[in-house]
Amino acid sequence: MPETYVEVPILKQGPFLIATVQSALADADLAHLREALVDRMGRHRSRGVVVDVTALDVMDSYAVRTLCELATMTRLRGAEIVIVGIQPDVAFSMVQLGLTLKGVPTALDLEEGLAFLQERAQCRRARD
Amino acid sequence: MLSPLAGLDLQPSTQYPSPHTITHEIVAHFREHRSQLRDDWLQRVKDQHLLTVLPDDELVTEATMVLDHYLDALETGSLDTLHTYTRNLSNRIIPRRVETREVVALVLNLRDVLARALITQYHGDREHLLAILDNYQPAANRVANAVAVGFVHERDRVIREQQAAIRELSTPVLQMRDRLLVLPIIGAIDPQRARQLTEQLLYAIREHRATVVVMDITGVAALDASVANHLVQTVEAARLLGARVIVSGVSPEIAQTLVTIGLDLSEMTTVGDLQGGLERAERLLGYRVVPTSELAN
């Protein structure tokens, strides 16, 4: 029997992918999102991923770990990731729990996140 | 010594009257000797150096008012008017540094003076005296309690208002340029202020869509471990919102504290002074400040 997951919509926007988390996700859903994103990244040859967590009002250690893993996997596949939309209260409770998303870029919202990815892409082009 | 109530010919009744009648009797007795009781009470207040900030005539006026409201409360059993009066009185005397201890002593003295008057009056009839005291004491305690609690409430409210005012004044989050916020922190930081500061900063980052924040702690004399930890957490939380925090003006003492408590500061950008902090922030945002004379060339 196939398992059912809460599907997180993944939109393609030019060279970037946008995943908007719309409700609290169970651990299995998060893992599913991670696989789906990495898969789509390869299919579309995306250069960057924005994960929008504006709707989340809590972030536990599993979610943070999954996001960190996703960041590393993205980098290994030659793309950039940015987490956007962490709410002030969520941010503060995260750091109090020691969940600082170390090394994972963050931005205020979708717009900022896309601007960040664009900038990074330009940097990369300039460097190459 | 002549008792103030000697020679009274109130006949204590021999039957057991209803509580209501007893209350009525007590209050009528007090009313009859109102000024004498008030003066006894004032004498005690003066002997114990209570409410010394009030001039004599004002003390007499307030004492009369308190006594009248006290008797009304005893008679009706309703504390509403007393509450209102206590609130007004507290508002008048709190700015003059009257302490809780004085207010409590004040009402307890009144309670004692009145109880003494009852005992003096009814000591001949033990049963009746007991009935009177049983009726008077719970009511008197309730009233005394209401006054003291009312005062403390009012004082707490004043303190809370002042704290809120100070807090609001003390942590402004200022927008320097588009996307650049400055947070000058001045004075001691206690855990509560630290929390408020964090909250204000995080919401300001979202509201102004800031990407760089300069947190200037030149005006902070010292930090303890928990507040230092909190500031580091604030910097990390700001990063989660996509803003980079530059800390400027770390004094030698604070540097010493941060090193001693062994916080992980590898993620923190620190700059010597506010000017340096602003310059760094402007560079990060892509600004370059050039003298106009150079532009002309």
Side-chain angles (χ1 to χ4, degrees):
Chain A
M1 198 179 91
E3 285 186 74
T4 53
Y5 298 106
V6 176
E7 282 296 336
V8 174
I10 299 172
L11 310 175
K12 184 174 169 303
Q13 155 76 43
F16 307 127
L17 292 180
I18 302 167
T20 310
V21 181
Q22 281 161 341
S23 61
L25 295 182
D27 293 356
D29 302 328
L30 275 163
H32 177 67
L33 169 65
R34 187 185 57 200
E35 312 313 330
L37 264 176
V38 177
D39 176 52
R40 291 279 292 269
M41 225 180 284
R43 250 193 291 152
H44 299 302
R45 309 190 69 236
S46 304
R47 272 198 245 110
V49 181
V50 182
V51 180
D52 185 355
V53 295
T54 310
L56 290 188
D57 45 19
V58 70
M59 277 261 226
D60 61 10
S61 56
Y62 187 83
V64 170
R65 209 179 68 210
T66 312
L67 287 177
C68 285
E69 287 167 4
L70 177 61
T72 314
M73 289 163 79
T74 314
R75 223 167 288 138
L76 287 172
R77 305 209 49 162
E80 299 269 354
I81 192 171
V82 59
I83 312 293
V84 305
I86 299 175
Q87 298 300 306
D89 297 330
V90 178
F92 198 67
S93 41
M94 281 170 69
V95 296
Q96 277 180 323
L97 296 170
L99 309 170
T100 54
L101 277 174
K102 216 171 185 172
V104 183
T106 46
L108 188 70
D109 54 19
L110 187 57
E111 186 186 342
E112 296 286 318
L114 286 172
F116 169 83
L117 289 179
Q118 221 114 38
E119 203 179 300
R120 290 299 276 261
Q122 267 167 19
C123 281
R124 200 183 271 205
R125 232 172 289 142
R127 208 177 49 217
D128 293 343
Chain B
M1 194 190 103
L2 200 69
S3 155
L5 303 173
L8 296 171
D9 56 356
L10 257 176
Q11 284 302 312
S13 73
T14 42
Q15 290 128 348
Y16 292 114
S18 74
H20 185 72
T21 329
I22 294 188
T23 307
H24 202 72
E25 184 182 340
I26 295 172
V27 174
H29 178 64
F30 289 151
R31 286 244 163 84
E32 196 177 331
H33 306 283
R34 177 168 161 270
S35 35
Q36 181 63 49
L37 290 168
R38 189 195 63 200
D39 293 346
D40 278 3
W41 176 36
L42 280 174
Q43 192 56 49
R44 287 193 185 205
V45 168
K46 284 213 184 87
D47 291 347
Q48 295 174 22
H49 304 291
L50 300 174
L51 291 175
T52 43
V53 290
L54 299 189
D56 275 355
D57 53 337
E58 197 178 339
L59 187 57
V60 173
T61 323
E62 296 291 4
T64 315
M65 297 277 281
V66 173
L67 180 58
D68 288 344
H69 281 98
Y70 193 99
L71 295 184
D72 286 348
L74 280 184
E75 186 173 31
T76 58
S78 146
L79 297 173
D80 291 349
T81 50
L82 186 73
H83 268 306
T84 317
Y85 175 70
T86 309
R87 208 173 310 134
N88 288 338
L89 176 67
S90 305
N91 268 329
R92 283 196 299 269
I93 61 179
I94 287 167
R96 293 151 86 170
R97 295 165 175 271
V98 172
E99 292 179 30
T100 317
R101 164 184 80 77
E102 293 182 275
V103 173
V104 174
L106 188 77
V107 280
L108 291 184
N109 270 310
L110 176 57
R111 191 196 60 171
D112 293 347
V113 165
L114 298 183
R116 193 167 191 279
L118 291 176
I119 294 169
T120 320
Q121 171 67 17
Y122 298 104
H123 69 96
D125 182 348
R126 191 166 165 278
E127 288 301 311
H128 192 64
L129 175 62
L130 287 180
I132 293 258
L133 286 182
D134 283 348
N135 182 288
Y136 167 71
Q137 278 169 341
N141 286 346
R142 224 156 55 87
V143 174
N145 207 358
V147 173
V149 169
F151 179 81
V152 171
H153 256 275
E154 203 55 26
R155 216 188 49 170
D156 284 352
R157 192 184 59 78
V158 170
I159 292 174
R160 267 200 308 277
E161 276 178 12
Q162 289 173 343
Q163 277 179 340
I166 291 172
R167 269 203 305 275
E168 218 148 274
L169 288 174
S170 64
T171 45
V173 182
L174 312 167
Q175 178 157 16
M176 269 288 292
R177 288 189 196 295
D178 198 26
R179 326 213 124 189
L180 167 56
L181 295 179
V182 178
L183 177 71
I185 308 176
I186 292 169
I189 309 179
D190 55 16
Q192 200 197 351
R193 190 174 166 207
R195 239 195 331 276
Q196 153 134 21
L197 195 139
T198 306
E199 197 175 303
Q200 281 194 352
L201 177 64
L202 295 183
Y203 281 97
I205 287 173
R206 194 172 62 172
E207 189 187 332
H208 296 285
R209 307 177 63 78
T211 50
V212 182
V213 178
V214 180
M215 187 194 280
D216 181 60
I217 56 171
T218 313
V220 181
L223 286 182
D224 64 14
S226 75
V227 172
N229 208 356
H230 192 99
L231 284 186
V232 173
Q233 288 180 341
T234 304
V235 171
E236 285 172 344
R239 192 195 76 87
L240 289 178
L241 263 69
R244 180 138 173 212
V245 178
I246 298 167
V247 180
S248 70
V250 178
S251 69
E253 291 78 18
I254 291 179
Q256 178 82 54
T257 313
L258 292 176
V259 171
T260 313
I261 59 183
L263 277 173
D264 176 19
L265 301 174
S266 52
E267 296 282 301
M268 237 156 82
T269 315
T270 47
V271 171
D273 56 11
L274 182 58
Q275 181 182 346
L278 290 176
E279 283 166 1
R280 169 77 68 89
E282 281 166 344
R283 264 204 307 283
L284 281 173
L285 286 166
Y287 290 108
R288 196 162 60 100
V289 181
V290 182
T292 40
S293 57
E294 255 177 57
L295 278 180
N297 299 331

